[in-house]
Amino acid sequence: MNNIYFITKNKSSLFKKANTKSEKLKEVIFGEKFVKLKQIKDLYYGYTQNDKYYGYIRKRHLDNIQLKQNYIVNSGKAYLFKRNNVQSKTKKYLYLNSKIYISKIGSEFSMIGDLWIKNTDIKLIEKIKKINFLEKIKIFINVKYVWGGNTIDGIDCSGLVQELMKNNFLKCPRDSKDQEKFFKKKINLKQIKKGDLLFWKGHVAISINKKECIHAFGPRKKVIKMKIRNVISELEKKSLKLSSIKRPLFK
């Protein structure tokens, strides 16, 4: 279909209105698909195919040439090299979960287009297992809080959940209110374990054990680890009560 486009920039913002100064809803990563519905000047209106999120995106960040994709970027930020050695590092880079095509595999570097990328920065799509979605959570610790962010240059609470799941090809909506509806299994605080999601109005945190969680926390302006009881207490002071705890169930 000629209305399906690929993101060709390392990231591109999805805007609420047909104006790049309007609210940024989320960021779309290199290699992701965008379905165009109409064009308004230099913007396309449509939705991201992965999560059906509607908005406006810059036309120049898209291409409707069908791209082969056999690997994803598996580190927070993967730099590209002119040759297969560390001395030839460029200023170009791709973010975690970027979908790419590797044409040549080397011992330490592999070829992407006419550039090279470290083998330690990529993961073969065919070998992705839909299991532990917290595998990459440590790379986000202390990343600054940015509304609508989806990368290690800045991320928000629901973006963090989505990117972690995306790394394991797990389906997950973008906004916390939709995530709370999407994940059906409810549990109580006494049952909580690693990987459970705690929801408040407009916020979500991820438990890493019975007592601690990690979240992109606006008031602290970064991704942090906190005691669950402390998060509950701090948000209650802002008149936000814990609305539910959900357990993602993946086969």
Side-chain angles (χ1 to χ4, degrees):
M1 296 174 65
N2 60 8
N3 65 332
I4 296 180
Y5 288 75
F6 288 84
I7 308 301
T8 56
K9 190 174 173 59
N10 57 12
K11 67 176 178 180
S12 185
S13 296
L14 194 70
F15 298 98
K16 187 174 184 178
K17 299 179 180 180
N19 185 336
T20 55
K21 293 183 179 179
S22 69
E23 179 185 345
K24 184 176 76 174
L25 299 173
K26 64 172 285 185
E27 290 173 328
V28 194
I29 310 301
F30 181 92
E32 288 192 83
K33 293 180 182 179
F34 182 83
V35 180
K36 170 199 165 188
L37 299 178
K38 63 181 178 180
Q39 181 177 349
I40 299 179
K41 295 183 179 180
D42 59 346
L43 297 173
Y44 283 161
Y45 175 75
Y47 58 89
T48 48
Q49 193 178 70
N50 176 58
D51 55 9
K52 299 294 191 294
Y53 207 106
Y54 287 77
Y56 296 85
I57 196 168
R58 290 180 176 92
K59 175 185 174 182
R60 59 188 170 89
H61 292 173
L62 302 170
D63 198 317
N64 64 351
I65 296 175
Q66 296 298 303
L67 300 177
K68 294 180 180 179
Q69 297 171 333
N70 53 3
Y71 281 78
I72 66 167
V73 172
N74 200 39
S75 58
K77 185 180 285 187
Y79 279 89
L80 303 178
F81 299 79
K82 290 182 179 179
R83 293 173 293 280
N84 55 347
N85 60 64
V86 294
Q87 289 77 30
S88 62
K89 182 179 177 181
T90 71
K91 293 182 179 180
K92 296 180 180 181
Y93 55 84
L94 296 170
Y95 293 103
L96 178 75
N97 297 329
S98 298
K99 295 179 180 179
I100 60 175
Y101 178 68
I102 296 297
S103 59
K104 181 180 180 181
I105 303 292
S107 58
E108 296 182 21
F109 290 81
S110 291
M111 202 161 195
I112 170 174
D114 59 352
L115 297 172
W116 297 81
I117 191 169
K118 288 182 179 179
N119 291 343
T120 52
D121 286 336
I122 58 177
K123 178 165 63 173
L124 185 63
I125 289 176
E126 289 182 354
K127 291 188 176 180
I128 290 175
K129 297 179 180 179
K130 298 182 178 183
I131 42 174
N132 177 23
F133 76 92
L134 298 184
E135 182 182 354
K136 294 296 175 182
I137 199 165
K138 289 183 180 179
I139 70 173
F140 287 102
I141 294 295
N142 292 322
V143 166
K144 67 181 177 180
Y145 179 93
V146 172
W147 176 268
N150 277 78
T151 74
I152 65 163
D153 284 342
I155 201 161
D156 62 22
C157 63
S158 55
L160 176 63
V161 174
Q162 188 183 55
E163 289 305 316
L164 290 171
M165 292 196 178
K166 196 188 294 180
N167 191 247
N168 281 268
F169 279 34
L170 299 170
K171 190 172 179 60
C172 178
R174 177 57 175 81
D175 292 343
S176 61
K177 68 179 188 301
D178 297 320
Q179 292 172 356
E180 186 172 13
K181 293 175 185 177
F182 181 78
F183 298 109
K184 305 298 183 184
K185 185 174 177 59
K186 292 184 178 180
I187 61 167
N188 60 47
L189 200 55
K190 292 181 180 179
Q191 297 172 310
I192 201 164
K193 67 178 185 179
K194 181 179 179 180
D196 290 335
L197 303 176
L198 299 95
F199 290 98
W200 295 260
K201 184 179 180 180
H203 189 60
V204 59
I206 310 161
S207 65
I208 53 173
N209 54 51
K210 288 182 175 293
K211 296 183 178 181
E212 296 176 304
C213 68
I214 287 178
H215 57 157
F217 199 31
R220 304 289 179 87
K221 298 181 180 180
K222 63 181 179 179
V223 178
I224 55 172
K225 180 169 69 174
M226 292 179 66
K227 297 286 187 183
I228 292 173
R229 66 172 182 270
N230 291 347
V231 182
I232 293 173
S233 176
E234 190 164 334
L235 290 176
E236 280 183 347
K237 292 175 184 177
K238 300 178 184 294
S239 300
L240 291 173
K241 291 187 177 181
L242 183 68
S243 58
S244 70
I245 304 173
K246 297 291 185 71
R247 178 164 295 163
L249 298 175
F250 304 113
K251 293 182 180 180

